[in-house]
Amino acid sequence: MRPDVATLSSELLQGKYRALAQSISMVERDDPAASQLLAETYPATGRARILGITGSPGAGKSTLVAAMTRFYRKAGKRVGIIAVDPTSPFTGGAILGDRIRMQDLYTDRGVFIRSMATRGFLGGLARATNDVVDLLDAAGFDIVIVETVGVGQDEVEVIRTVQSNVVVLVPGMGDDIQAIKAGIMEIADVFAINKADRPGADRTATEVMMMMSLVDEHAEWIPPIVKTVASQAKGMAELDEALSKHNDYLVSSGEMQRRSLERVRIRVETHLKERFMEKLVGGTFSAEEYNRILDDVLDKKTNPHGAAAAMLGRVGF
Ligand SMILES: Nc1nc2c(ncn2[C@@H]2O[C@H](COP(=O)(O)OP(=O)(O)OP(=O)(O)O)[C@@H](O)[C@H]2O)c(=O)[nH]1
Ligand SMILES: [Mg+2]
């Protein structure tokens, strides 16, 4: 029998693993009761540190997340992992060996691992990810780590809602660094040069430093560069230190407050847009009507602005 929402949320707030798993499933399948559950647990959020791990496919993000998780577990912290990554071992897309190497995490009740499919997510990936972050937070997880490859609008929206984002680079990227610099510089709070057991890690670090000096030399926060060998759990204390410093900076500069407000703004606006579109298409306008309007725009019978204005006019906007 399905537990009622009140029972579920009170068990979740006590940190019960099963209640958390059930709650997350409800959010993922957009269960009608999910919003009540989220409303009841929301007041208990705001304690977890929300970290992002972003980088190209194969950079070692999942391995790094696993190594960080083990590091935080030794310090007695509970860690939630959300993998927004189609090929992650967490999502089952990777070779079985990876998953076996992470077996200890899958059986640890102080670790909660959830993967989110990047495509075709019911009701928006960013919204669901943020809701799952909230549930983990409310359930008393100290740290929530979100892994993404960092491409696509949905993912960027996810990254914008974390507190500290680690961009993972690997030695020998050369031209790649040039190519990614535009988008990635703004979202990096800390750089991890992973696979530092390979040649060229120092050169990559120098390249990143040079690029940063070009971008903004007067910035209040200059992202530290940490060398890691995730597969050997090396550099974790240094990475943790860099992240702690960033956390201190966020708090003392008032940036934490600003980011939290931004996170709230993005989330409220995502709901507004979604709900508004739902009301408009499938509500005021049938799907067929809407498609006809789109066809009219395509056939130059009207134009995008005009079509939108006419539709909004019908709902009194
Ligand atoms: N030599 C070396 N290999 C590593 C290191 N960290 C990870 N790897 C290996 O790199 C490969 C990719 O690691 P993943 O952790 O799956 O990388 P990822 O960035 O999560 O990959 P995607 O999720 O597919 O984007 C695996 O075979 C890891 O064992 C490292 O520090 N040094
Ligand atoms: Mg991965």
Side-chain angles (χ1 to χ4, degrees):
M1 205 188 76
R2 253 183 58 183
D4 65 283
V5 174
T7 310
L8 200 58
S9 62
S10 91
E11 286 184 1
L12 179 136
L13 294 172
Q14 291 162 39
K16 291 199 178 154
Y17 198 87
R18 230 173 82 92
L20 176 63
Q22 284 176 337
S23 303
I24 289 178
S25 297
M26 275 172 69
V27 164
E28 282 182 328
R29 63 169 188 268
D30 221 2
D31 190 295
S35 40
Q36 190 195 337
L37 180 80
L38 288 163
E40 280 174 19
T41 49
Y42 186 74
T45 64
R47 287 173 302 187
R49 272 175 69 194
I50 311 167
L51 310 178
I53 302 283
T54 304
S56 344
K61 298 179 296 294
S62 300
T63 314
L64 191 64
V65 170
M68 286 169 79
T69 301
R70 292 186 187 108
F71 178 87
Y72 288 127
R73 288 300 290 142
K74 278 196 198 119
K77 303 224 188 303
R78 295 169 77 208
V79 183
I81 300 170
I82 304 172
V84 185
D85 186 344
T87 57
S88 159
F90 301 126
T91 55
I95 40 173
L96 193 61
D98 275 335
R99 207 172 157 124
I100 288 168
R101 276 205 299 276
M102 293 177 188
Q103 204 57 52
D104 58 316
L105 301 182
Y106 283 92
T107 51
D108 180 350
R109 283 306 193 232
V111 177
F112 195 97
I113 303 174
R114 201 63 162 206
S115 59
M116 313 287 262
T118 40
R119 246 167 270 278
F121 205 90
L122 214 57
L125 175 77
R127 194 194 81 185
T129 303
N130 274 303
D131 288 345
V132 173
V133 169
D134 272 5
L135 292 177
L136 288 162
D137 187 352
F141 280 73
D142 304 285
I143 296 170
V144 179
I145 309 179
V146 185
E147 175 190 337
T148 68
V149 282
V151 290
Q153 200 184 331
D154 271 353
E155 287 205 7
V156 170
E157 205 168 301
V158 170
I159 295 164
R160 281 171 62 206
T161 57
V162 304
Q163 293 167 344
S164 303
N165 193 40
V166 179
V167 169
V168 184
L169 302 172
V170 291
M173 291 176 82
D175 292 344
D176 281 2
I177 290 203
Q178 296 301 323
I180 58 176
K181 77 172 176 195
I184 253 169
M185 281 304 179
E186 297 94 67
I187 60 161
D189 299 307
V190 173
F191 284 102
I193 314 277
N194 191 42
K195 308 199 184 183
D197 51 330
R198 293 190 178 167
D202 286 324
R203 223 192 97 192
T204 304
T206 310
E207 280 170 5
V208 173
M209 252 184 298
M210 277 167 56
M211 250 158 32
M212 275 191 294
S213 65
L214 295 177
V215 174
D216 190 358
E217 55 186 299
H218 302 295
E220 268 183 70
W221 173 258
I222 296 167
I225 302 167
V226 181
K227 281 185 273 179
T228 59
V229 184
S231 50
Q232 297 166 32
K234 282 188 187 155
M236 294 310 114
E238 291 80 359
L239 185 55
D240 171 55
E241 200 192 316
L243 284 166
S244 296
K245 277 198 187 132
H246 185 247
N247 193 68
D248 292 346
Y249 155 75
L250 287 177
V251 174
S252 64
S253 64
E255 176 71 9
M256 184 70 99
Q257 182 67 18
R258 207 194 59 76
R259 282 193 190 192
S260 302
L261 191 63
E262 172 74 355
R263 177 164 187 252
V264 165
R265 191 184 64 77
I266 290 174
R267 296 181 69 189
V268 171
E269 285 179 11
T270 306
H271 277 277
L272 285 173
K273 282 180 213 158
E274 247 174 59
R275 298 285 287 277
F276 186 70
M277 275 300 285
E278 267 170 25
K279 278 234 180 301
L280 211 59
V281 178
T284 309
F285 296 87
S286 68
E288 297 86 65
E289 251 180 302
Y290 184 52
N291 284 332
R292 258 202 312 277
I293 294 170
L294 296 183
D295 281 337
D296 285 349
V297 176
L298 191 65
D299 297 340
K300 308 277 162 62
K301 286 180 192 150
T302 179
N303 60 81
H305 283 259
M311 288 179 76
L312 290 171
R314 279 264 293 272
V315 288
F317 265 66

